Amino acid sequence: MLKSTTHNGFPVVNQAPVDPEAKHFGQFMGLITREQLIILLIRKVYYNERTMQHYGDISNDDFRDQYPRYPTIQDIDIPVEHYNMKIDLRQFINLSPYTCNESVSFARLFNLFRSMGLRHLVIVNENNKAVGMVTRKDLAKFRKWRKQGSSGVQQLGFVGEGSEFEECCS
């Protein structure tokens, strides 16, 4: 997944649903960053689920030593025999990232991103199951407006001759 996406944050769930029709990805446990995952892979902090043999270990210094120039996923060479190994992410995830319920208004979501300087926000349902994720890049196409006591959020469209902003929320 790290090679096929450029996402910087990943929701961690305890168990993905077996039902392909499920409208969630599993019980939300926390958030882990791309940089953390790459360091875990470099340090080979994984185990063989069948034999329970553990490889590699890690300390806080391993994360600190790489900051702010973390390696990329292309810098890592994982041996083929390690492809089926598992990593227990519980000790590395952020257990209390900002989340929003799926019923949150777009304007409120937009304000939360702007006021807290967030990069990503996990969307959960009423049972705290991850249903999606919103990133700063998703919101970069919008701007907040205020006029005569009203406010809202507008989608920035292609600005050309005669084009208008599309109002999406108020």
Side-chain angles (χ1 to χ4, degrees):
M1 182 185 314
L2 291 173
K3 286 186 178 181
S4 64
T5 70
T6 58
H7 302 308
N8 286 308
F10 299 90
V12 177
V13 296
N14 68 347
Q15 186 175 3
V18 178
D19 179 9
E21 300 294 319
K23 295 184 175 166
H24 62 82
F25 299 100
Q27 189 71 35
F28 180 65
M29 303 298 290
L31 192 70
I32 193 158
T33 66
R34 168 178 289 275
E35 292 83 9
Q36 288 173 300
L37 289 171
I38 289 172
I39 298 300
L40 293 172
L41 290 170
I42 288 171
R43 299 292 299 158
K44 296 178 172 55
V45 184
Y46 37 74
Y47 65 95
N48 184 317
E49 193 172 35
R50 189 176 46 80
T51 65
M52 296 308 289
Q53 179 182 358
H54 285 264
Y55 299 83
D57 59 358
I58 196 161
S59 71
N60 284 336
D61 291 337
D62 293 313
F63 292 102
R64 253 180 279 155
D65 291 347
Q66 298 294 330
Y67 179 81
R69 302 257 186 252
Y70 292 102
T72 66
I73 191 65
Q74 287 76 21
D75 297 332
I76 302 173
D77 184 33
I78 300 172
V80 174
E81 62 269 15
H82 292 179
Y83 282 9
N84 291 324
M85 302 291 180
K86 306 283 183 186
I87 298 177
D88 184 356
L89 298 176
R90 290 177 293 186
Q91 61 185 324
F92 306 108
I93 62 175
N94 176 356
L95 295 171
S96 55
Y98 286 99
T99 62
C100 276
N101 187 278
E102 63 188 339
S103 63
V104 68
S105 72
F106 183 82
R108 187 173 181 97
L109 185 78
F110 189 84
N111 285 334
L112 183 61
F113 261 85
R114 293 217 23 201
S115 64
M116 301 304 295
L118 301 178
R119 290 184 68 169
H120 32 258
L121 185 74
V122 178
I123 307 299
V124 296
N125 67 15
E126 64 277 356
N127 297 316
N128 203 42
K129 295 191 188 285
V131 296
M133 189 157 182
V134 178
T135 68
R136 183 174 18 186
K137 189 175 181 180
D138 296 327
L139 299 180
K141 302 173 239 176
F142 299 90
R143 75 172 179 145
K144 188 171 183 173
W145 61 268
R146 290 183 192 271
K147 189 175 186 180
Q148 298 174 345
S150 296
S151 66
V153 178
Q154 292 176 318
Q155 183 172 359
L156 301 174
F158 174 72
V159 181
E161 190 174 321
S163 66
E164 296 283 329
F165 289 115
E166 178 185 334
E167 184 176 325
C168 69
C169 301
S170 56

